[in-house]
Amino acid sequence: MRPAFLHPLQAALLALSFLFLSLAQGLSLKSCTTPDQGSTLQVYHVYSQCSPFKPKTPLSWEESVLQMQSKDEARLLFLSSLVAGRSVVPVASGRQITQSPTYIVRVKVGTPAQTLLVAMDTSNDAGWVPCNGCVGCGSTVFESTKSTTFKNVGCGSAQCQQVPGPSCLGSICSFNLTYGGSTIAANLSQDTIRLAADPVPNYTFGCIQKATGSSVPPQGLLGLGRGPLSLLSQTQNLYQSTFSYCLPSFRSLNFSGSLRLGPNSQPKNIKYTQLLRNPRRSSLYYVNLIGIKVGRRVVGIPAEALAFNPTTGAGTVIDSGTVFTRLVQPAYIAVRDEFRRRMGNAVVSSLGGFDTCYTVPVTVPTLTFMFSGMNVTLPQDNFLIHSTAGSITCLAMAEAPTNVNSVLNVIANLQQQNHRILFDVPNSRLGVARETCT
Ligand SMILES: *[C@@H]1O[C@H](CO)[C@@H](O)[C@H](O)[C@H]1NC(C)=O
Ligand SMILES: *[C@@H]1O[C@H](CO)[C@@H](O)[C@H](O)[C@H]1NC(C)=O
Ligand SMILES: *[C@@H]1O[C@H](CO)[C@@H](O)[C@H](O)[C@H]1NC(C)=O
Ligand SMILES: *[C@@H]1O[C@H](CO)[C@@H](O)[C@H](O)[C@H]1NC(C)=O
Ligand SMILES: *[C@@H]1O[C@H](CO)[C@@H](O)[C@H](O)[C@H]1NC(C)=O
């Protein structure tokens, strides 16, 4: 394509600009409507340019942090309730929080396909979408009557036995569940869903008929837990219970990450730790966190603060829906105190739920999560948050809520951003590798 009389310098510049153009296209200028390819779905932050759920007026840095913190409170109470096996009603927060959890992917439901932007949630098995006739859902719903492949699941079916507290409406299997601060009533249904280019025929999901509260993701949920009726269980042959994601940073909202389903094209060069299974809480991904290093020092954390206990649900889970990592009180206090000690005499301030913030420029130590078989040293962006103006820096972790009997450490998504996290369920292992999500 090079014109015949181009000066070599011009040619070089031309080549360079093509290079930049294609780099830029490959990296950040992917449009919001770029279709998902193969078995890989683009992942957007709910505040992303591509998200219909982004705030109408952009939030200030401080507002976003405080909003994410209060959403986290509801999420942590919900996770605690899963662990405790009983429902915990979240404490009402001062602000109406309407978005939960943090990352969304595009799925296509029915024939012809209807596109929905559903929340990705590794701590839940179920998939559900708002359906026509729903009371309390938003304006974007799945119109089941327009799909030629849609059907309601009968009361007598095997799947109906797998949902919590099923009941019969006519002959249709229906169920109620709580999600965060919300309750949902849904019919159990089946239809084809498409994940990127992969059709999943007869996928069983909840078709929401009634929703209360504000924790329900507006266009539905894709549960990536591993219990019965989960997507993983239903796509055993297709994806072999293997997936990975790279979550983009909430600081670069024009970027998308990716959710890669199945064992193909997963990274080979990746460190692993064991995934633990709690038979009582089959959907959660427990890992064996054995210690935390601040700088080179292994912080003195009482062993019982980290120990896995299937009976009480204690231990550490990795979760895609919580934003800031929470450690049970003795673990958090130990990490925080060591971190503060390393900061010398710098004056500590707080921001919302963060109690270790600095308003002066500081040199921070490294932070390393020690899992069995794998140490993960976090880049600073994974454990510090800085205000846009650069005037405040906080350790982006907190202690687990103490108003419930809290035994759970949660490795949250800020700590996972710009890493590839590989869930290899058949081999009971979790892989972690640094990657810039694009
Ligand atoms: C859900 O079940 C109810 C009760 O059988 C039925 O009236 C309703 O049409 C169903 N909703 C959908 C979207 O199929
Ligand atoms: C489920 O919720 C619906 C609507 O709120 C209610 O009418 C129904 O009784 C509930 N069913 C069960 C089994 O709790
Ligand atoms: C899906 O369900 C329909 C109707 O129940 C059945 O005819 C079809 O074989 C099923 N397809 C697959 C791939 O299981
Ligand atoms: C993100 O993209 C929007 C629209 O394309 C643009 O206006 C904005 O400046 C970009 N923001 C960043 C941080 O790159
Ligand atoms: C992790 O770090 C600790 C403490 O520095 C070290 O003893 C251990 O061997 C490391 N583990 C791995 C798997 O590298």
Side-chain angles (χ1 to χ4, degrees):
M1 289 288 289
R2 165 139 83 96
F5 304 111
L6 212 56
H7 187 276
L9 189 64
Q10 282 178 314
L13 281 174
L14 199 66
L16 209 62
S17 59
F18 272 128
L19 180 70
F20 276 130
L21 202 66
S22 40
L23 268 180
Q25 274 169 347
L27 290 176
S28 54
L29 297 184
K30 251 183 309 199
S31 112
C32 298
T33 51
T34 304
D36 293 328
Q37 311 278 338
S39 304
T40 301
L41 287 75
Q42 288 167 74
V43 173
Y44 303 106
H45 194 281
V46 288
Y47 296 166
S48 146
Q49 301 299 324
C50 296
S51 164
F53 317 123
K54 63 176 178 288
K56 296 213 168 38
T57 47
L59 300 176
S60 72
W61 175 82
E62 195 170 283
E63 283 170 332
S64 338
V65 167
L66 295 176
Q67 190 177 101
M68 289 189 284
Q69 277 182 352
S70 50
K71 276 164 45 176
D72 266 7
E73 288 290 322
R75 172 120 189 129
L76 288 153
L77 290 169
F78 171 60
L79 291 176
S80 304
S81 75
L82 292 180
V83 162
R86 63 188 149 78
S87 80
V88 175
V89 180
V91 185
S93 102
R95 303 173 61 132
Q96 270 298 308
I97 303 305
T98 52
Q99 295 146 5
S100 139
T102 333
Y103 290 97
I104 51 176
V105 294
R106 195 184 287 125
V107 302
K108 295 189 166 148
V109 189
T111 316
Q114 301 174 36
T115 300
L116 293 169
L117 283 162
V118 298
M120 201 179 96
D121 187 345
T122 52
S123 295
N124 266 270
D125 290 345
W128 28 261
V129 298
C131 280
N132 50 297
C134 175
V135 177
C137 296
S139 54
T140 303
V141 297
F142 170 59
E143 299 282 352
S144 65
T145 48
K146 293 189 181 154
S147 170
T148 55
T149 41
F150 176 84
K151 48 189 182 290
N152 280 306
V153 170
C155 291
S157 74
Q159 287 98 337
C160 194
Q161 307 310 308
Q162 295 179 306
V163 298
S167 59
C168 268
L169 283 178
S171 60
I172 296 178
C173 178
S174 69
F175 63 98
N176 291 350
L177 57 80
T178 59
Y179 185 80
S182 292
T183 59
I184 290 168
N187 294 349
L188 193 63
S189 308
Q190 284 186 336
D191 206 335
T192 302
I193 61 165
R194 278 178 191 75
L195 299 165
D198 299 332
V200 179
N202 297 344
Y203 174 64
T204 305
F205 62 97
C207 191
I208 306 178
Q209 293 296 284
K210 186 174 179 191
T212 60
S214 57
S215 307
V216 181
Q219 296 185 19
L221 186 94
L222 184 68
L224 292 171
R226 53 180 157 172
L229 264 198
S230 64
L231 175 73
L232 295 196
S233 309
Q234 294 189 49
T235 54
Q236 216 28 260
N237 295 336
L238 188 59
Y239 299 134
Q240 292 146 50
S241 295
T242 306
F243 67 94
S244 72
Y245 56 64
C246 187
L247 304 175
S249 163
F250 82 95
R251 286 150 46 94
S252 34
L253 294 176
N254 283 2
F255 286 72
S256 61
S258 62
L259 169 64
R260 202 174 284 157
L261 298 163
N264 295 335
S265 9
Q266 298 296 357
K268 300 282 178 288
N269 190 6
I270 192 165
K271 290 192 285 190
Y272 289 103
T273 187
Q274 200 189 349
L275 272 179
L276 306 174
R277 180 180 270 284
N278 182 344
R280 292 156 54 96
R281 303 291 164 249
S282 55
S283 37
L284 300 178
Y285 292 102
Y286 280 88
V287 287
N288 192 13
L289 179 67
I290 52 181
I292 296 174
K293 278 195 280 189
V294 174
R296 286 161 69 181
R297 176 184 289 206
V298 179
V299 174
I301 298 173
E304 63 274 16
L306 300 179
F308 175 57
N309 180 335
T311 309
T312 62
T316 304
V317 297
I318 183 152
D319 179 46
S320 64
T322 312
V323 182
F324 303 112
T325 287
R326 299 292 184 125
L327 301 173
V328 298
Q329 194 180 47
Y332 177 69
I333 300 282
V335 170
R336 180 198 73 182
D337 287 353
E338 179 59 17
F339 189 86
R340 288 182 178 178
R341 197 186 66 77
R342 289 288 304 265
M343 306 298 270
N345 293 324
V347 176
V348 171
S349 60
S350 67
L351 173 70
F354 297 135
D355 64 5
T356 301
C357 300
Y358 298 91
T359 50
V360 290
V362 284
T363 309
V364 294
T366 59
L367 197 89
T368 303
F369 285 129
M370 296 161 61
F371 299 98
S372 56
M374 169 180 89
N375 290 342
V376 178
T377 297
L378 294 175
Q380 289 197 1
D381 280 347
N382 291 94
F383 67 92
L384 294 180
I385 52 168
H386 307 281
S387 61
T388 4
S391 52
I392 184 163
T393 298
C394 299
L395 175 63
M397 291 185 189
E399 105 187 20
T402 47
N403 49 351
V404 286
N405 178 24
S406 189
V407 292
L408 195 63
N409 301 297
V410 178
I411 309 278
N413 64 43
L414 182 89
Q415 278 65 42
Q416 301 171 45
Q417 289 171 8
N418 286 316
H419 286 77
R420 180 139 308 262
I421 312 289
L422 172 59
F423 295 78
D424 179 355
V425 176
N427 296 306
S428 294
R429 57 187 189 168
L430 178 92
V432 178
R434 279 197 203 178
E435 181 178 321
T436 304
C437 308
T438 55

